[in-house]
Amino acid sequence: MGQVNVLDHPLIQHKLTHIRDYRTGTKAFRELVDEVATLMAFEITRHLPLEEIEIETPVCKAKAYQLAGKKLGIIPILRAGLGMVDGMLNLIPAAKVGHVGLYRDPETLKPVEYYCKLPSDIQERELIVVDPMLATGGSASAALTLLKEKGAVNMKLMCLIAAPEGVEQVKKDHPDIDIYLGALDEKLNEHGYIVPGLGDAGDRLFGTK
Ligand code: PRP
Ligand code: URA
């Protein structure tokens, strides 16, 4: 069964507070999402396996460590997931980036797919699917299903803020997936927005609306 991990590092929590604040404008919002994505990437990559190698320092030969195991992929769910990509690439610059385009129909709250472009070797990669918001869970669940259909076998889901309803939906549809969150909020409101949340992540990132 997949685990749900709330990354409660003080810097993540502090920055999330500013991200949530309605007075935070687009520029600061985008910078903060970028920074939190870097911090979350740091936490989410803790488990990566290392292998011992021999190197030579200016002083002597030495045993040292380098990353081993599967290569990584970052899959933002468009559009808001784009705001988390650069922050993650700061730490894992060799990761390949695939894009899944989904938007949530405002009436039905159901995800609508409009784009998918993935690295050709996703089945060999450990994929981190990123989206700031996990609300009903419809978008994330549909993205994970699509990625599995395309061959992905090793995925994690990383979101800034989730509602319990979204977490339950993903756990039900994808019990194999570990979920990493900056915060687990109280609930969804009648419009499917996370409470207290941060409002519309895509609009706040890109200055639309
Ligand atoms: C937002 C968000 C998630 C989705 C979450 O995207 O970035 O993808 O809603 O809601 P859900 O869990 O109920 O599916 P939105 O549909 O607003 O599209 P955008 O990123 O293009 O703004
Ligand atoms: N999408 C958002 O951007 N925010 C929410 O609170 C829910 C879905």
Side-chain angles (χ1 to χ4, degrees), residues 77-80 102-104 131-139 200 202:
I77 302 179
L78 307 182
R79 156 190 70 135
L102 290 171
Y103 71 88
R104 192 173 75 154
D131 192 328
M133 309 307 277
L134 181 61
T136 64
S139 303
D200 190 302

Side-chain angles (χ1 to χ4, degrees), residues 126-170:
E126 178 171 334
L127 302 180
I128 307 173
V129 180
V130 297
D131 192 328
M133 309 307 277
L134 181 61
T136 64
S139 303
S141 183
L144 293 165
T145 302
L146 177 67
L147 289 162
K148 285 179 181 174
E149 284 166 6
K150 302 277 184 190
V153 285
N154 187 345
M155 293 190 281
K156 296 182 186 335
L157 175 65
M158 182 175 126
C159 304
L160 297 189
I161 299 179
E165 295 88 333
V167 170
E168 286 313 309
Q169 188 65 48
V170 172

Side-chain angles (χ1 to χ4, degrees), residues 26-93:
T26 298
K27 178 173 184 286
F29 187 91
R30 198 183 296 135
E31 289 167 357
L32 284 159
V33 169
D34 185 70
E35 289 167 15
V36 170
T38 303
L39 292 166
M40 291 181 79
F42 184 73
E43 297 280 6
I44 207 171
T45 49
R46 269 182 191 283
H47 69 284
L48 290 179
L50 292 171
E51 63 188 3
E52 197 177 83
I53 57 165
E54 188 164 300
I55 58 160
E56 199 165 342
T57 76
V59 179
C60 65
K61 288 198 163 133
K63 286 196 164 51
Y65 297 95
Q66 68 179 13
L67 289 172
K70 286 182 189 281
K71 294 184 185 146
L72 297 176
I74 302 169
I75 313 287
I77 302 179
L78 307 182
R79 156 190 70 135
L82 285 176
M84 299 171 76
V85 174
D86 284 350
M88 298 188 72
L89 287 172
N90 283 339
L91 286 192
I92 35 178

Side-chain angles (χ1 to χ4, degrees), residues 73-75 96-99 117-123 125 127:
I74 302 169
I75 313 287
K96 289 198 174 166
V97 181
H99 296 87
K117 182 76 181 171
L118 303 170
S120 55
D121 56 354
I122 55 163
Q123 65 286 353
R125 289 183 179 264
L127 302 180

